[in-house]
Amino acid sequence: MRTVSAPTALVAAALALTSCGAADQPTASPGKSVILITPNPVGTNSFLQLSVKGAETAAKEIGASFKLYESKDPTSIAQNLDAAVRAKPTVIVGVSFSFDDLFATVPKQHSGQQFLQVDSCAKDQAANLTCVSFREHEAAYLAGVEAGMLSKSGKLGVVAALDSPFVHRWIDPFFAGAKSVNPSVTGTPLYVGGNNPFSDPARAKSQAQTLTGQGADIVAAAASAGNQGVFEGVAGAGAKAFGVDVNQCAQSPGTVIDNVLKHVDVAESAAIKDIAAGRAGGVKVYGLKEGGVGVNALDGDLASSGCTVASAPDVVTKVKQVRDDIVAGRITVADPLAG
């Protein structure tokens, strides 16, 4: 996930350039096909791994071929998008808000091509652009409830990739959830930043160490591929952490309390199958009610998850109650993007 302000001109310029990760792709694909474009190399990024899993699963189920175009910067995103358009697949999938600018224009220029944007949606959405987004702030609030109940120092931290409204969906609700059960807790966010904010474990570890040095005994990781650095920094101080997107408890046994889960693969796969079946367009939002986000404390296999919250049944009971209250509308979690 990287914020991109790629001008539309990049797409036109890309016509004369070889696409990154797509140099040997044909100009047309027979039959059904799915092309997934990531904003960064997939590597150990669990969010992008989920997006690949979702697209591969859908492609298999609809009998389509699958191709992955990995990008590394705004220019290569534009180049890969141009190559994908020329390949004329059944659907072109772009992951994250890094595609907001390009998907505001390119789908309108190619009305016969179907596009899917995962985890964001371009403004002034074209009819041939389908969007899937999530209410991840609801799950972050649940993680905050856990942190508020388990913290002994009353000091919490978050190591996040960037200081942006979208990333604050993992920060502000986390602190709000904690304060809902322990009004005296304080929360401090620190940011990875730099040239590679979503894949810099060393910088993420340093920020985690700063937070634990200030007395934080629980630090939530929201640094994508940098999360392992957060876990290492926290474990070294004898503190606890939260992961994101998938179950990351096994990455640092005994350190990770729980994870802010986002079932990107399930939602993306469903959207691709809908598009292939002729049900394209619009925006579908997945929250706690739809089962699109959650925490491991809500799962039936919690006992085998490796997450330390499994040994705190009172916390699990509280989390389930708060989940039910959010789904029923008795608790409304403020969305940082809305304000």
Side-chain angles (χ1 to χ4, degrees), residues 3 160-168 171-172 189-193 197-198 222:
T3 302
L162 289 172
D163 185 3
S164 70
F166 184 78
V167 176
H168 269 268
I171 302 171
D172 302 356
L190 291 180
Y191 305 95
V192 177
F198 293 95

Side-chain angles (χ1 to χ4, degrees), residues 77-130:
I77 291 174
Q79 292 169 351
N80 280 334
L81 179 56
D82 173 70
V85 168
R86 287 187 284 110
K88 299 180 181 179
T90 305
V91 58
I92 296 171
V93 185
V95 184
S96 87
F97 53 83
S98 296
F99 287 81
D100 282 358
D101 289 344
L102 289 169
F103 275 6
T105 56
V106 175
K108 296 175 183 177
Q109 297 166 352
H110 302 275
S111 59
Q113 172 66 57
Q114 291 298 325
F115 297 83
L116 170 63
Q117 186 170 3
V118 177
D119 208 30
S120 188
C121 197
K123 293 182 178 178
D124 193 19
Q125 181 184 359
N128 57 323
L129 172 62
T130 304

